[in-house]
Amino acid sequence: MEDSLFAPGHRACAGCGMPTAIKLVLDAAGPNTIVASPTGCLEVTSTPFPESSWRVPWIHSLFENAAAVASGVEVALKRFKRTDTNVLVIGGDGSTFDIGFGAISGMFDRGHRITYVCYDNEAYMNTGVQRSASTPFCAKTTTTPTGKMSLGNPRPKKDMAAIAVAHGVPYVATASIAYPVDLRRKVKMSLSADGPAYIQVNAPCITGWSFGEGDAIEQSRLAVETCLLPLIEYVDGVLVGVKKVRRKRPVEDYLKTQGRYKHLFKAEGGAEVLAKIQAMADANAAKFGLLD
Amino acid sequence: MPAQLVEGNTAVIVGAMYAGCDCFFGYPITPASEILHEASRHFPKVGRKFVQAESEEAAINMAYGAAAAGHRVLAASSGPGMSLKQEGISYIAGAELPCVIVDIARAGPGLGNIGPEQSDYNQAVKGGGHGCYRNIVLAPNSVQEMCDFTIKAFDLAFKYRNPAVILADGVLGHMVEPLNFPQTAVEPVIDPTWAVCGNRETRGNLVTSIDLDFKELEAHNLNLQAKYDRIRENEVDYEEYRIDDAEIVLVSYGISSRIAKSAVDAARREGIRAGLFRPVTLFPFPAEELKALAERGSGFISVEMSDGQMREDIRLATGCRDVGLVSRYGGNLIGRDEIMEKMREVA
């Protein structure tokens, strides 16, 4: 851990999945890397000036801008003819799926050689667990409260990976902190792509999801094993890699361990929602061939 | 109903509910997010609309759209989000639409931090976006006023068809105090004389801020300026404390005015003839009232958590170059002792 480019001693919550994701990503990218980050849990917990967890050059910008800032960095590197330096964006799902979306689209469209990494904890955790476009169907957040009139977030999760593929991005992958070898390989693959890349890393949030301390990696593994989180990989728009699930588990095994889904096991209409979520998992399994 | 202990951000939503606000558009930002949370809990229950937008710009432009349709619209944010909203606010002002925007200001510039500051004065009071426009700006200094001024902001926004801003800060947003709930509630009603509702009745109405003809746009601007003059004439609001024989007048608004008030009492105990002038409306700024105090011979100290953004308005109003400033930045509240020190220096 002491050798990691993402140093310990940061202020992330005990049991947070995000620092694990960052360490894996950054150490795979190596020291010749520049990182741009938007506002979010990562930025707030890793850079309270004058402290920093970053052992590589790191630049922050406001919530919506990181892809644009990284574009500028990449252009400047090209101007200096330093094309061997990796440029990464590492941002959360709020900045990726919502407010920074336009800038990401521009970055993809212009074909910058940048790997955009989204650490996906499925809500605005830094500001108090508000829904993002990455929040899964019927999860409870502070802006999708549960009660007689609501079973949580009414919308399914936005499919950012598919959107990246639709931009013609040369390398697109989803990953999980529970599969570190797979994640490291994907980061290396992305950096060898001739153009932009998008990697979405599932990083469970102990505070927002409400699960037991020490369970973040297990949570992410359950997401994969229930087929709610397909680990997939596209090169030039072609699906080239799928992480197979040996023993598919029912979605309840994943949902029942998290406070954000607690209402589904009590409230009227909860059973129907559970069936819908199971159908989403089944559809993933069929669409990507996760099981055979 | 007896008074209840309520957080400032919650009080905004209480006021909005009683003011007949029927559409809320928001985006998460500390220290304003509780307004979003409370709206998401309470608005849908009574059939009013809550939408969490994907960005600050989207939220303010949703507000623009709903306001154009005649709805009573609320948006809330903090400094960085207010910066992002400025284009939309300019459009709302240009199209002359009523809209209430709450700014729970935090420390800047840039990312800054989430502590309180009063450095959004310029972008709220001077019309922070492009073009010549003004927001009506109200500055509460208690949880009760967070509620009451939200109601007042809706009244003024509709009276003048103009954006109205509640300029508060992170302390007011998170402070908990007793709140007396309003006695009466307004039911949302759409005014068909100007709103565009997609029906025959409102087909002739036009909501726009574009005017390609130079002369016509100038005329539109002159109309806006005449409206701002009417607001200056009719809506100035302020509070005075121990001002009658004051030689030193502390000018302070929002949370800082609470501290300044206690400094006035402490100064009086030391024999310093101090008083407090607290602008309640920052636009319109109580310029005439301050000018009268200057003509009487009082000296002024601006007590604000900024680099003297309001002090510039005090200078303009009073003609005094020599206006003192007691200021803190970076999320720090001004201490009473700091105000005392400055008063002893000039007394």
Side-chain angles (χ1 to χ4, degrees):
Chain A
M1 196 161 71
E2 269 88 66
D3 298 335
S4 176
L5 294 169
F6 188 75
H10 52 71
R11 301 182 185 185
C13 302
C16 174
M18 174 267 286
T20 307
I22 307 310
K23 262 183 277 190
L24 290 166
V25 168
L26 201 54
D27 290 338
N32 190 13
T33 300
I34 295 172
V35 177
S37 285
T39 304
C41 286
L42 172 62
E43 166 268 327
V44 163
T45 59
S46 69
T47 64
F49 186 79
E51 299 165 19
S52 173
S53 281
W54 296 91
R55 288 178 171 143
V56 296
W58 180 89
I59 183 169
H60 167 255
S61 178
L62 287 176
F63 216 8
E64 64 283 3
N65 301 327
V69 171
S71 299
V73 169
E74 189 251 17
V75 168
L77 287 171
K78 271 184 188 152
R79 183 78 181 81
F80 292 134
K81 300 190 170 37
R82 279 175 50 190
T83 47
D84 60 333
T85 302
N86 304 317
V87 182
L88 293 187
V89 178
I90 308 182
D93 50 282
S95 58
T96 304
F97 286 61
D98 290 341
I99 195 167
F101 184 74
I104 295 167
S105 181
M107 182 201 108
F108 288 163
D109 175 51
R110 290 185 300 266
H112 294 282
R113 204 164 170 165
I114 298 169
T115 291
Y116 191 107
V117 177
C118 171
Y119 67 93
D120 183 12
N121 56 25
E122 303 192 323
Y124 290 84
M125 299 313 187
N126 178 45
T127 49
V129 198
Q130 295 89 8
R131 175 201 182 267
S132 80
S134 173
T135 302
F137 182 57
C138 282
K140 178 186 179 177
T141 71
T142 48
T143 53
T144 54
T146 57
K148 277 184 194 152
M149 299 179 63
S150 166
L151 287 168
N153 177 33
R155 300 285 304 156
K157 187 184 177 91
K158 189 194 271 188
D159 191 349
M160 265 302 287
I163 291 168
V165 169
H167 277 76
V169 169
Y171 186 80
V172 176
T174 57
S176 153
I177 57 168
Y179 298 86
V181 177
D182 179 66
L183 170 54
R184 278 196 292 259
R185 183 185 61 77
K186 284 173 175 168
V187 171
K188 290 200 164 110
M189 281 289 289
S190 76
L191 293 169
S192 67
D194 186 20
Y198 178 73
I199 301 179
Q200 189 170 302
V201 188
N202 180 261
C205 169
I206 185 166
T207 310
W209 298 15
S210 184
F211 51 75
E213 204 170 308
D215 287 352
I217 288 173
E218 191 52 31
Q219 287 294 332
S220 200
R221 191 190 319 283
L222 279 169
V224 173
E225 291 181 344
T226 53
C227 297
L228 284 169
L229 170 63
L231 298 186
I232 49 177
E233 191 174 13
Y234 291 87
V235 172
D236 295 327
V238 179
L239 184 65
V240 296
V242 170
K243 185 93 195 158
K244 298 288 182 184
V245 176
R246 278 193 209 125
R247 187 170 67 90
K248 184 179 173 226
R249 302 175 65 154
V251 293
E252 276 89 346
D253 286 6
Y254 174 66
L255 305 177
K256 74 187 176 200
T257 59
Q258 298 178 23
R260 63 175 173 162
Y261 293 117
K262 203 165 62 181
H263 56 289
L264 297 181
F265 297 92
K266 288 190 286 192
E268 199 180 319
E272 286 83 351
V273 171
L274 290 172
K276 273 189 196 165
I277 296 174
Q278 185 60 58
M280 290 175 182
D282 296 346
N284 281 338
K287 181 178 177 188
F288 299 108
L290 299 176
L291 300 178
D292 51 5
Chain B
M1 193 194 318
Q4 290 185 32
L5 281 173
V6 163
E7 193 187 67
N9 281 338
T10 304
V12 167
I13 289 300
V14 172
M17 297 288 280
Y18 278 86
C21 168
D22 58 352
C23 296
F24 178 89
F25 303 101
Y27 184 75
I29 186 164
T30 309
S33 291
E34 292 80 10
I35 301 175
L36 183 76
H37 302 169
E38 293 298 317
S40 78
R41 282 178 57 203
H42 296 296
F43 272 48
K45 280 186 199 163
V46 287
R48 303 186 189 181
K49 297 296 176 196
F50 161 83
V51 180
Q52 184 185 330
E54 75 276 23
S55 68
E56 297 283 3
E57 299 97 312
I60 196 65
N61 283 292
M62 288 175 190
Y64 177 43
H71 288 279
R72 292 171 82 83
V73 180
L74 180 69
S77 192
S78 182
M82 288 297 287
S83 302
L84 286 166
K85 287 185 190 303
Q86 292 302 340
E87 181 193 50
I89 297 172
S90 172
Y91 272 65
I92 291 168
E96 292 199 83
L97 293 172
C99 175
V100 176
I101 304 150
V102 182
D103 181 0
I104 308 296
R106 65 191 233 186
L111 188 68
N113 64 33
I114 54 175
E117 212 169 64
Q118 294 179 309
S119 49
D120 282 358
Y121 182 94
N122 279 351
Q123 70 168 347
V125 173
K126 307 289 179 178
H130 58 284
C132 297
Y133 73 92
R134 295 288 185 152
N135 305 311
I136 297 164
V137 183
L138 306 178
N141 78 356
S142 66
V143 167
Q144 186 68 50
E145 287 186 354
M146 292 290 273
C147 171
D148 296 348
F149 285 15
T150 302
I151 296 171
K152 186 176 174 178
F154 274 102
D155 290 344
L156 292 172
F158 274 79
K159 183 175 174 185
Y160 293 100
R161 281 178 54 196
N162 202 74
V165 175
I166 305 287
L167 184 58
D169 63 78
V171 169
L172 283 165
H174 286 163
M175 193 162 73
V176 175
E177 288 185 322
L179 173 69
N180 288 301
F181 277 56
Q183 298 296 313
T184 54
V186 174
E187 280 303 310
V189 184
I190 288 172
D191 182 351
T193 60
W194 57 266
V196 179
C197 309
N199 56 19
R200 182 181 292 277
E201 192 184 9
T202 63
R203 186 172 290 170
N205 293 345
L206 177 65
V207 171
T208 182
S209 69
I210 188 175
D211 214 328
L212 295 178
D213 184 280
F214 293 4
K215 280 189 181 138
E216 281 178 20
L217 183 56
E218 185 171 54
H220 175 54
N221 266 279
L222 290 170
N223 280 336
L224 288 178
Q225 294 304 319
K227 177 170 83 174
Y228 304 146
D229 283 342
R230 284 201 303 282
I231 295 171
R232 285 186 182 100
E233 215 165 284
N234 298 317
E235 307 302 342
V236 167
D237 195 2
Y238 57 95
E239 190 185 297
E240 291 174 330
Y241 181 66
R242 303 184 82 164
I243 208 93
D244 288 343
D245 62 339
E247 288 171 344
I248 299 174
V249 174
L250 302 178
V251 186
S252 190
Y253 71 96
I255 193 66
S256 297
S257 67
R258 299 270 292 259
I259 302 155
K261 194 172 185 178
S262 77
V264 165
D265 290 338
R268 289 272 174 179
R269 284 196 291 274
E270 285 187 15
I272 299 171
R273 276 157 56 188
L276 169 68
F277 185 93
R278 175 201 162 206
V280 167
T281 52
L282 296 174
F283 181 85
F285 193 70
E288 290 302 319
E289 293 72 13
L290 280 168
K291 189 174 164 216
L293 292 175
E295 281 164 359
R296 199 184 70 179
S298 298
F300 299 94
I301 299 171
S302 187
V303 180
E304 54 177 319
M305 294 183 284
S306 88
D307 56 344
Q309 295 184 5
M310 180 179 69
R311 179 169 67 166
E312 291 178 12
D313 281 341
I314 302 169
R315 281 175 169 159
L316 284 171
T318 61
C320 303
R321 286 292 306 157
D322 190 20
V323 176
L325 175 67
V326 181
S327 167
R328 291 296 300 274
Y329 307 87
N332 297 289
L333 286 171
I334 295 165
R336 196 182 69 176
D337 291 347
E338 291 161 292
I339 307 172
M340 294 296 295
E341 210 173 295
K342 185 77 181 176
M343 281 197 280
R344 288 186 201 115
E345 197 183 292
V346 300

